[in-house]
Each structure stands twice: as C-alpha cells, then as structure tokens.
Amino acid sequence: MLKKAGKDIPTKSGTKTNPKSQKEVPGQMLDKASKEIPTTSGTKSQIMMHLEKMVEESDIMHGAIRSVDMDEGVFRIAHSELIAKEDMQQLFEHEELGIDVIHTYIWYMYDTLMRGTELCNRFNFIAASRINTTFITKNPTSIMNELVDRFMVAGDNTTPSLYFLPFNSGNGGHWVLVAMDLSRLMVYYLDSLPGNWSKYPSMKKTVDAAILKFRSKKNYRNRKDITWVRVQCPQQNNSIDCGFFVLRFMRDIIALNRIDIPKMVWNNNLGFILILSDISFNLLLNHEYVLFS
C-alpha cells in the first residue's frame, strides 16, 4: 500500500500537510489508441461556473470522500487514493496541489489515454509520495533502490520510453517534472520556474545512481554518461501553479505520444480549466464514495 500522500512534504504556506499547467495542445489522433486530447467547450468563466455548481451540489462538500482505486498499471503498486473536500478546494480555490490530486490526475491520464494501448509501453509513472526531497534526505540509498525496483518491473527498457517522476522539492512545496529515458540515458527536466536540476543536487544524484544501478543489474553496457536536458517549457506567473503545470506537461506529452520532449511545441489555452474539468467530472460522477461518520 502507498502511504496516504503528502504527510512529509512541506507547503509554501505551512498550513497544510499536502504540498501543492497551463498549456493547450491541438487535438491530434494517436497511433492505435485512436484518442484525441480531450477538449472543453465554453468560456473559462462558463466552465468554472458549471464545475463549481457541480461541486457545491455534490455530496463531497458535505463530508463524502471519493475512493479512486488504482490498479497496478498506474504505479505498479495497487492502492486506493482518497479525495475529499479539501482536495476539491485546492482545485476550485486555486491553491497549491497536493499529492492526492497529482496521483488522481495521473490515474485519469492512464485510464483515458493509455489503458489498452501501446502507450502503456511508452510511458510509466513513479509515485510522488514515495520519492521526494524529504525522503531522499532521510535515506538516499533506500530511495535509489526503490527507483531501481520500479525500473525493473517495467521490462527491459531497451527501446525509448519515459518514466515520469512528479518531484516535490520539499523547499516550499515546488513541483517539477523529471522524465527519464533509460534506453538513451537521457533525463528531461521540466520546471515552470527558472533554473535547472542544480537546485536539487540530491535528487539528480539519486536518479543518476538508480539508472546506473538498474543498467548494471541488467548487464547493459553504459555507452555514455547520463545526459540531463532542461526543457524549454511554459513558465508560471505566480507562486502556486507548479502542480498544474506538471500535470499538463505529462498530459500533453502522453496525448501527443512524444518521447523527444524538447521538440514539442507548447501552446497556451485553457489548460488550467481542462484539468479542473477532467478531475471534477470524473470524481463527482464516476467513483464510489463513503460518508464520514
């Protein structure tokens, strides 16, 4: 079982236990998957009003919680994620996103874009609740081994594929996305704030060590050093949108089936609203719930 997310990750405000994208990409058919990037009709204000009305009238605002059952296909560890009132408030009050919301959206992407298609062989997810700055600081060797175990489960990794790690800095709760291609010894770093991986040296060291140990266990020859690439991606204009950006980065990469991330063309348009609608409609309409006593 995964831990209930967010216990040990600080936030910018310091008032919540959970830490906290904007870009639209033109719809494009996927090979074999035959799915388009979901679109949302209406203006931003119309969509927001509709979603807020749905939430206000739902049982979730009166003590209900949603249980999202994640099978092994998502993180290779079956578990349930709980979404409650405070998680919905993170979305509609435009607060920093916690791990529960991050994980739920990853499940949504897996279920709607990937399940039953070749994309499952192209994209993999690493649970944010297992690997973050706080845990690396406490026990870097254990975290490195956990990464290696995750790599080993997914196969030989001899063809280009990506492992997505939504990484929380632990320094005010900033989210970045680390995408690893083990076959080409490439690591892509996507950050909606200026700077690169040098801000998190322990993270880079742990990721590098895990990749090299994995290749050693598989008896793969290391033909070259690991190359890190700072992807030129859209930037946030406030102090709270990093989680939304990380979600949109993953969503666009998967929906367009792009392994060569630096060659993507990012485009702004309703990204924040798309994530709100994706999560809200699915949580409010499609999942079991229980009431707190």
Side-chain angles (χ1 to χ4, degrees):
M1 290 289 289
L2 288 176
K3 297 179 180 178
K4 185 72 171 80
K7 299 286 188 183
D8 295 321
I9 300 181
T11 66
K12 290 183 177 69
S13 64
T15 59
K16 295 187 176 182
T17 55
N18 281 359
K20 312 273 169 234
S21 165
Q22 252 172 323
K23 326 305 100 268
E24 176 57 16
V25 177
Q28 175 175 319
M29 297 301 288
L30 298 178
D31 294 338
K32 189 175 179 181
S34 297
K35 295 179 181 177
E36 294 185 37
I37 298 178
T39 57
T40 303
S41 60
T43 66
K44 178 176 180 179
S45 59
Q46 289 171 335
I47 298 166
M48 282 292 289
M49 287 176 61
H50 180 55
L51 293 176
E52 287 176 350
K53 187 173 186 294
M54 281 183 60
V55 173
E56 288 172 0
E57 294 178 352
S58 74
D59 53 359
I60 202 167
M61 300 307 285
H62 302 284
I65 61 174
R66 290 296 189 272
S67 177
V68 183
D69 294 327
M70 301 192 186
D71 54 67
E72 292 186 2
V74 185
F75 296 117
R76 302 299 177 184
I77 303 174
H79 75 289
S80 295
E81 204 80 34
L82 299 179
I83 295 290
K85 178 179 178 179
E86 73 169 40
D87 299 299
M88 299 304 290
Q89 287 174 327
Q90 289 173 12
L91 294 169
F92 287 95
E93 296 178 12
H94 202 173
E95 300 175 352
E96 298 169 348
L97 297 186
I99 295 181
D100 293 342
V101 175
I102 298 288
H103 282 183
T104 299
Y105 195 75
I106 287 175
W107 170 87
Y108 169 83
M109 290 187 293
Y110 177 84
D111 197 55
T112 59
L113 295 178
M114 296 171 56
R115 189 185 298 278
T117 77
E118 81 282 359
L119 296 182
C120 290
N121 298 321
R122 299 268 281 174
F123 303 104
N124 300 278
F125 301 102
I126 297 169
S129 60
R130 310 287 289 231
I131 299 170
N132 53 61
T133 293
T134 303
F135 295 152
I136 289 174
T137 300
K138 290 180 178 179
N139 196 336
T141 300
S142 175
I143 298 304
M144 179 199 67
N145 288 332
E146 182 143 1
L147 270 175
V148 173
D149 291 343
R150 179 67 182 90
F151 297 154
M152 294 292 289
V153 168
D156 60 11
N157 292 289
T158 56
T159 57
S161 63
L162 291 177
Y163 286 83
F164 291 122
L165 169 61
F167 182 79
N168 192 275
S169 67
N171 181 21
H174 182 58
W175 289 100
V176 302
L177 179 63
V178 178
M180 296 161 272
D181 183 342
L182 306 187
S183 68
R184 295 186 289 186
L185 291 177
M186 300 285 291
V187 179
Y188 300 110
Y189 177 87
L190 295 88
D191 192 342
S192 55
L193 289 178
N196 61 23
W197 53 85
S198 62
K199 294 186 290 186
Y200 314 116
S202 61
M203 179 271 289
K204 181 181 184 300
K205 182 178 179 180
T206 300
V207 168
D208 285 348
I211 293 174
L212 293 177
K213 183 171 181 178
F214 161 76
R215 293 184 64 85
S216 175
K217 288 171 73 74
K218 286 286 190 177
N219 294 317
Y220 296 155
R221 181 180 302 173
N222 290 321
R223 305 175 303 280
K224 58 182 180 178
D225 294 334
I226 299 170
T227 300
W228 282 66
V229 178
R230 203 315 183 175
V231 177
Q232 297 302 309
C233 51
Q235 300 288 281
Q236 66 190 81
N237 57 12
N238 57 32
S239 62
I240 58 177
D241 273 353
C242 52
F244 287 98
F245 274 72
V246 163
L247 294 180
R248 278 310 304 268
F249 293 156
M250 287 189 287
R251 180 182 180 276
D252 291 351
I253 291 166
I254 294 169
L256 293 178
N257 198 2
R258 295 299 299 267
I259 297 297
D260 295 318
I261 301 176
K263 296 181 181 179
M264 285 190 65
V265 177
W266 306 94
N267 185 17
N268 269 335
N269 183 26
L270 284 182
F272 171 75
I273 297 301
L274 275 171
I275 288 175
L276 282 179
S277 62
D278 286 346
I279 295 178
S280 301
F281 280 106
N282 279 274
L283 288 179
L284 293 175
L285 301 179
N286 297 336
H287 292 286
E288 297 295 328
Y289 67 88
V290 294
L291 289 171
F292 288 121
S293 57

